Amino acid sequence: MSAKDCKYLESHEWARRDGDLVVVGITDVAVEQLSDLVFVDLPNPGVLVTQGEAFGEIESVKAVSELLSPVTGEVVEVNEELADDLDRLAKSPFEDGWMIKVRPDGDGGWSELLSAEDYAKVAAEGGH
């Protein structure tokens, strides 16, 4: 998998279809902007998330940022290993650094997300 297989929010969250689920994480651009990560707060399975609304927080030595959900649906799995190894986000943001898996509510807003090409333009302009 690569960044081209994903769709995006302008706020640097990515989404990738995996069967009937959507895998969610943050991009390498977000990790670079945040720099020294110290904490991540993710929801529990069963929590309902809404596209464009916060599902958790990520904290670096310089800021706390909300994590926005790219899709609407139910969290069915959380990457528990991130809590103990935030380096996964820097080393492999699109693979080992995934955050949550969501069972979307219908389309879940998938069709409204940015393509990889459109996201690249946003990121190049300095993004959100």
Side-chain angles (χ1 to χ4, degrees), residues 104-119:
D105 182 10
D107 173 67
W110 181 262
S111 59
E112 299 167 33
L113 296 173
L114 298 173
S115 67
E117 295 78 21
D118 289 340
Y119 172 72

Side-chain angles (χ1 to χ4, degrees), residues 1-6 8 14-19 23 92-96:
M1 293 292 162
S2 74
K4 294 199 182 305
D5 300 319
C6 301
Y8 300 86
W14 57 262
R16 180 180 65 235
R17 289 197 183 273
D18 183 12
V23 183
S92 182
F94 296 97
E95 290 294 330
D96 297 336

Side-chain angles (χ1 to χ4, degrees), residues 10 33 118-128:
E10 286 187 14
Q33 288 178 352
D118 289 340
Y119 172 72
K121 291 175 192 169
V122 168
E125 293 167 1
H128 175 54

Side-chain angles (χ1 to χ4, degrees), residues 58-100:
I58 190 158
E59 185 176 336
S60 71
V61 294
K62 63 182 183 178
V64 176
S65 300
E66 287 187 329
L67 298 166
L68 304 182
S69 182
V71 295
T72 297
E74 179 185 355
V75 176
V76 295
E77 190 176 343
V78 176
N79 188 347
E80 302 288 348
E81 296 177 19
L82 282 183
D84 296 325
D85 187 10
L86 287 172
D87 285 344
R88 287 171 173 260
L89 291 170
K91 292 177 186 168
S92 182
F94 296 97
E95 290 294 330
D96 297 336
W98 67 273
M99 295 182 162
I100 59 174

